[in-house]
Amino acid sequence: MKLVRPLLTQLHAYMPGEQPKMKGLIKLNTNENPYPPSPKVLRTVKAAVDGRLRLYPNPTAHELRKKLAKLHHCATENIIIGNGSDELLALATRAFVEPKAASTAEFSRSTVQYFTPSYSLYPVLAEIHGSRQNAVPLRADFSLPSPRELKRDRQWDFKAALSFITTPNAPTGRGYSAAELRALCKAQQGVVILDEAYVDFAQEDAQRLALEFPHVLVSRTFSKAYSLCFQRIGYFIGHPLLIAALDKVRDSYNVNGLGQIAALATLSDLPYYLRNFRRIIATREQLRRELTGLGFAVLPSQANFLFTKPPCFPAGEWLKKLRSRKVLVRWFNSDTGRDYLRITIGSEREAAMLLRAVRSILK
Ligand SMILES: *Cc1c(COP(=O)(O)O)cnc(C)c1O
């Protein structure tokens, strides 16, 4: 007798970037922030480790939602917190998408839609749910096709139950303007999630679209810009009807107590983080110039990583050569990603060590 659903035996699970045990590696592969949480955040979390660990945390992360609502000029009912934004992306698939189409007329109801290349978790979520996937290529330069182009020469479904748009995009780093995102949201009938995991490193955000359109959600995380991957805190902003639907399918205690405390402390120390954003952006621009000078084709980036086509050897070779020099970057062996490396922006020192390794490979 089969103990596991056939759907799972065939599943291509999500492949997270490596968290190596080896000491002394320069880790530029998972878009983590090179700078630690602020001293105040660390103090607050340490002070919270006491007898209260025996209690359940606040089930709705109420204080955190209240504070985020104030920050984003909306109501507490517009916000839901997740165990990382990844959890909320999974909840959205369960809340808005039919696992199987009853008939061809119902195809859109069971369709999860996204552009390629973008975040490789989306197809996995669709697969787990058993729903249909519609992967639509971006333009050749990785920019966003207009609604008219999508209608004319791409198989985009304007009625898809759920569409994920990563902005700024990963792994390309390209930012999309709020104007072009608004045009796409306006043409779309199903739920749209604007995944803004990297938005703090961008010139523009699209947050207002979540309050303007009842079918648009904006996804944010404390992981990348706020140095808090370890604590797993993400959130959605959107219409109370969609937020309430997500709230129905989440676990009662999905957000751990120390995470809630860490995120709250983060929000009361924002200037520290703003300084780090500026520093990371400055390192990004300098690294882009230096790599370009060494023959790399580097895409402009609005995120905390660069997407680049390296010279002389295939990207997969570069991955190995850099690793043997103790520098870890990310390579996606997919049709659209195979020729590129994705390099996380580390500290100034890490950027210098990366450049040293690159020069020694080119010698
Ligand atoms: C890192 C990342 C996430 C997940 O963030 P968590 O809040 O840590 O789960 C979501 N979307 C994109 C595009 C990401 O790169």
Side-chain angles (χ1 to χ4, degrees):
M1 188 182 154
K2 279 207 179 71
L3 299 180
V4 175
R5 295 171 64 200
L7 181 145
L8 287 191
T9 351
Q10 286 148 34
L11 176 77
H12 306 285
Y14 179 71
M15 185 75 81
E18 186 188 352
Q19 294 291 352
K21 295 210 177 62
M22 197 165 126
K23 276 244 163 76
L25 272 187
I26 314 288
K27 196 170 173 305
L28 306 176
N29 67 331
T30 49
N31 298 343
E32 288 148 321
N33 199 304
Y35 305 112
S38 80
K40 190 170 153 192
V41 168
L42 292 178
R43 263 199 315 275
T44 311
V45 174
K46 279 180 194 160
V49 178
D50 57 24
R52 88 190 94 152
L53 291 193
R54 108 199 134 74
L55 300 172
Y56 279 107
N58 183 291
T60 61
H62 185 75
E63 286 306 309
L64 182 55
R65 282 167 56 235
K66 217 166 78 183
K67 201 151 185 165
L68 284 168
K70 212 165 159 197
L71 182 73
H72 294 298
H73 309 289
C74 61
T76 317
E77 292 69 38
N78 291 114
I79 310 264
I80 184 168
I81 317 284
N83 181 33
S85 54
D86 280 352
E87 184 200 19
L88 295 172
L89 301 175
L91 291 183
T93 312
R94 285 160 66 189
F96 306 130
V97 187
E98 292 296 342
K100 276 237 151 47
S103 64
T104 45
E106 295 280 292
F107 265 7
S108 296
R109 288 283 342 130
S110 72
T111 297
V112 172
Q113 181 166 250
Y114 47 87
F115 289 104
T116 51
S118 73
Y119 190 27
S120 52
L121 179 67
Y122 309 142
V124 178
L125 295 178
E127 230 176 291
I128 292 172
H129 197 52
S131 48
R132 303 177 66 248
Q133 298 171 35
N134 195 31
V136 174
L138 290 162
R139 290 183 185 145
D141 65 354
F142 302 123
S143 59
L144 197 64
S146 67
R148 187 193 302 192
E149 276 174 78
L150 288 173
K151 205 166 284 172
R152 198 183 51 216
D153 51 31
R154 287 184 169 69
Q155 304 288 324
W156 183 262
D157 180 354
F158 286 92
K159 291 187 176 159
L162 180 60
S163 306
F164 290 113
I165 303 174
T166 324
T167 174
N169 195 19
T172 67
R174 244 195 203 284
Y176 309 136
S177 75
E180 55 187 336
L181 290 169
R182 170 178 282 113
L184 186 46
C185 289
K186 210 167 158 192
Q188 196 65 28
Q189 294 180 40
V191 174
V192 179
I193 295 181
L194 303 174
D195 184 345
E196 293 196 326
Y198 299 100
V199 79
D200 299 279
F201 306 106
Q203 280 161 354
E204 205 183 359
D205 71 71
Q207 188 225 301
R208 73 198 93 117
L209 300 181
L211 301 172
E212 190 178 320
F213 293 103
H215 64 296
V216 176
L217 292 159
V218 162
S219 175
R220 296 280 181 95
T221 175
F222 281 80
S223 291
K224 313 284 164 54
Y226 299 93
S227 307
L228 221 52
C229 295
F230 199 78
Q231 294 279 17
R232 314 299 307 124
I233 304 279
Y235 62 100
F236 277 7
I237 312 167
H239 194 282
L241 265 177
L242 296 190
I243 298 292
L246 292 164
D247 198 51
K248 274 189 182 167
V249 291
R250 75 175 173 87
D251 285 344
S252 333
Y253 301 105
N254 63 327
V255 187
N256 79 86
L258 290 176
Q260 293 184 35
I261 286 169
L264 271 167
T266 300
L267 295 178
S268 12
D269 214 5
L270 289 179
Y272 167 89
Y273 293 92
L274 289 176
R275 279 195 298 277
N276 288 347
F277 303 160
R278 276 189 228 116
R279 215 169 146 186
I280 289 166
I281 290 168
T283 309
R284 177 185 78 199
E285 294 311 310
Q286 169 151 16
L287 190 61
R288 182 171 172 227
R289 280 190 297 273
E290 304 250 15
L291 286 173
T292 306
L294 289 168
F296 285 65
V298 193
L299 260 75
S301 170
Q302 298 274 306
N304 67 337
F305 53 83
L306 292 172
F307 200 50
T308 173
K309 202 185 267 191
C312 304
F313 317 101
E317 284 289 306
W318 271 96
L319 179 82
K320 288 190 209 139
K321 288 178 189 289
L322 284 169
R323 201 196 153 91
S324 71
R325 286 164 179 80
K326 296 204 159 186
V327 180
L328 206 51
V329 299
R330 192 87 190 260
W331 176 59
F332 297 94
N333 190 4
S334 67
D335 288 346
T336 43
R338 191 166 294 126
D339 295 338
Y340 293 83
L341 293 174
R342 192 196 68 188
I343 305 176
T344 302
I345 306 303
S347 62
E348 292 92 354
R349 190 180 144 265
E350 288 171 324
M353 289 168 87
L354 166 76
L355 285 169
R356 195 173 314 144
V358 166
R359 287 196 185 97
S360 90
I361 290 167
L362 287 173
K363 230 191 283 184

